[in-house]
Amino acid sequence: MTSPLPEIKPNVFQKKVQALLRMMARRVFALLWGCVLAGLVGFLLALPAQAAGASNEAPLRFGILPLGGAFESRNDWEPLLADLSRAIGRPVSVLSVNSYEALEKAIEHDQVDMAFLSGKMALDAVTQRRMNVVAQVTRHDGLPGYRALLLARKTGPRSTLKDLLAEPERWRLARGESRSVSGFIVPQLQLFLPNHIAMETRFASEVVGTHQATALAVANGEADVATNNTADFERFSLQFPAEAERLQVIWESELIPHAQIVVRREYSPEFQKKVQAFLVEYARSKGPRGDAERAVLKSLHDLAGFVPADNSSLLPAAKLAYQLARQSAMSAQWINEAARQARLQRIENGYAEQTAALRSNAP
């Protein structure tokens, strides 16, 4: 005879069922939550790939004139270039170098798509390296340009322009590179060559470097006279007040047009217009955003902003280069007068072609 099943009290049975249901509920919840987490993780991991797909173009490579240290220049420009990147929907990388020559070589080898250049370098970029001017910088003083300077110590045996011009052989020179408008071209053209002094050969010694380096060389007694310019000397005075206090300006040039922003001609006219619009509108708005952008520009050599420009804005730079070439040809030694005249004619023809191309805005 089969034994009867043990009697189970209802409350005990209910408890076991409830426990079983709670266990099943926890497993179902864990399964569902795992699916949710997996989906969320997958979504988050996909975001970088989607962002990369949205900006899969190569970075726009921006070259900067060495107007101080390369690291300092990079730091000054990065906030503006980050804003440019957001405006054009494309990453922007920075090429900050220690010399004009290094930047020129980078442009020559197609390693720069857009650049901040002045005078001769901007002129060469447009006439020889397939680039176009899209904007020109402005400063808070409202002047259409800046001036080249000569700096000397306030005290000592070599401290006046008269002494410099009388005996350049006794002075140690600190100057900019030969491509620098205010550091070489303008002082050579407007002061030294008219006084029959060639900067490269008449001084006791020379140091070649940035405007910051040349000013420091004179302030620290390593040179007697330095080329510089009004904008960079103002900046130098803020960064090195003790050294600036030792210096004085003994000569200044006529106004030199401000620097330009150039873009490679391979980029579409629409893209160049977009870049130009960003620059021209930058720091023009009111409110916190405009204030932040104006602070960025102030750190960039006290810039006030940008104005639209085209290749014709380089006509003054072309004239300076022409005048320097002509002055150099006139003062050089030639085997005969016919050779001199032939050189002068080539200079005239080249200048005529260059100015015509700049005026047509399609060199």
Side-chain angles (χ1 to χ4, degrees):
M1 184 174 180
T2 305
S3 300
L5 291 172
E7 181 180 357
I8 301 176
K9 295 180 180 180
N11 60 341
V12 174
F13 177 77
Q14 290 174 358
K15 287 180 181 179
K16 289 188 176 182
V17 170
Q18 289 171 355
L20 179 61
L21 291 174
R22 281 197 296 270
M23 181 183 68
M24 292 176 62
R26 283 197 295 268
R27 290 180 178 178
V28 170
F29 179 79
L31 180 62
L32 291 174
W33 182 239
C35 292
V36 170
L37 285 177
L40 180 61
V41 170
F43 172 75
L44 292 175
L45 290 175
L47 284 179
Q50 292 168 1
S55 58
N56 57 6
E57 295 177 284
L60 184 74
R61 301 163 299 178
F62 189 92
I64 305 170
L65 268 180
L67 299 180
F71 180 75
E72 177 189 355
S73 295
R74 173 185 289 271
N75 283 346
D76 288 345
W77 277 94
E78 277 184 340
L80 184 145
L81 297 180
D83 290 340
L84 171 63
S85 176
R86 286 187 287 271
I88 63 176
R90 177 174 181 168
V92 178
S93 63
V94 184
L95 175 67
S96 182
V97 294
N98 289 314
S99 70
Y100 285 71
E101 182 179 5
L103 181 55
E104 187 173 65
K105 286 187 179 298
I107 294 172
E108 179 183 352
H109 293 105
D110 293 337
Q111 297 170 350
V112 173
D113 304 302
M114 182 177 174
F116 167 67
L117 303 174
S118 66
K120 183 68 165 61
M121 284 198 70
L123 180 66
D124 289 345
V126 167
T127 58
Q128 301 175 25
R129 305 300 176 199
R130 309 184 315 280
M131 302 189 91
N132 281 335
V133 174
V134 295
Q136 190 166 24
V137 304
T138 60
R139 296 188 74 238
H140 286 290
D141 56 22
L143 295 174
Y146 60 101
R147 298 180 190 276
L149 302 175
L150 286 185
L151 305 176
R153 292 178 68 93
K154 291 179 178 178
T155 59
R158 299 179 181 87
S159 58
T160 70
L161 181 62
K162 181 179 178 181
D163 293 337
L164 170 64
L165 297 179
E167 294 183 300
E169 299 87 358
R170 302 187 63 182
W171 290 61
R172 296 167 299 165
L173 173 67
R175 66 170 177 87
E177 297 178 56
S178 59
R179 299 163 183 81
S180 172
V181 177
S182 61
F184 181 83
I185 294 174
V186 168
Q188 179 90 309
L189 173 64
Q190 295 185 7
L191 178 66
F192 290 116
L193 286 182
N195 285 281
H196 311 291
I197 299 169
M199 291 173 68
E200 309 96 310
T201 58
R202 286 291 298 278
F203 289 90
S205 63
E206 69 174 17
V207 175
V208 178
T210 65
H211 297 304
Q212 179 178 297
T214 60
L216 283 172
V218 176
N220 294 329
E222 298 166 1
D224 301 309
V225 63
T227 61
N228 217 277
N229 66 60
T230 50
D232 280 279
F233 189 49
E234 286 175 14
R235 186 178 178 86
F236 180 85
S237 299
L238 293 175
Q239 295 176 320
F240 303 93
E243 289 79 1
E245 184 59 30
R246 304 173 199 155
L247 304 175
Q248 63 174 332
V249 176
I250 62 172
W251 174 83
E252 64 179 40
S253 73
E254 300 170 7
L255 277 177
I256 303 167
H258 286 307
Q260 283 91 358
I261 303 292
V262 298
V263 178
R264 280 212 174 273
R265 212 168 297 152
E266 285 82 356
Y267 287 96
S268 68
E270 293 76 19
F271 179 82
Q272 294 184 43
K273 286 292 184 184
K274 191 173 185 178
V275 170
Q276 184 184 68
F278 163 81
L279 293 170
V280 171
E281 294 166 8
Y282 197 78
R284 303 292 184 189
S285 62
K286 297 180 180 180
R289 176 182 171 183
D291 292 340
E293 292 175 348
R294 283 183 283 275
V296 168
L297 289 181
K298 187 169 180 61
S299 71
L300 284 174
H301 314 286
D302 200 25
L303 299 185
F306 303 88
V307 293
D310 58 29
N311 295 344
S312 64
S313 66
L314 289 170
L315 286 169
K319 185 176 181 180
L320 281 176
Y322 157 74
Q323 290 173 330
L324 179 61
R326 196 175 191 285
Q327 185 79 265
S328 298
M330 292 295 293
S331 59
Q333 298 293 322
W334 297 90
I335 56 174
N336 54 50
E337 185 59 24
R340 183 198 307 272
Q341 291 302 320
R343 173 59 179 155
L344 289 172
Q345 189 59 53
R346 287 195 298 273
I347 293 171
E348 293 291 338
N349 294 341
Y351 178 56
E353 293 174 3
Q354 196 172 67
T355 54
L358 293 175
R359 287 193 177 98
S360 71
N361 207 39

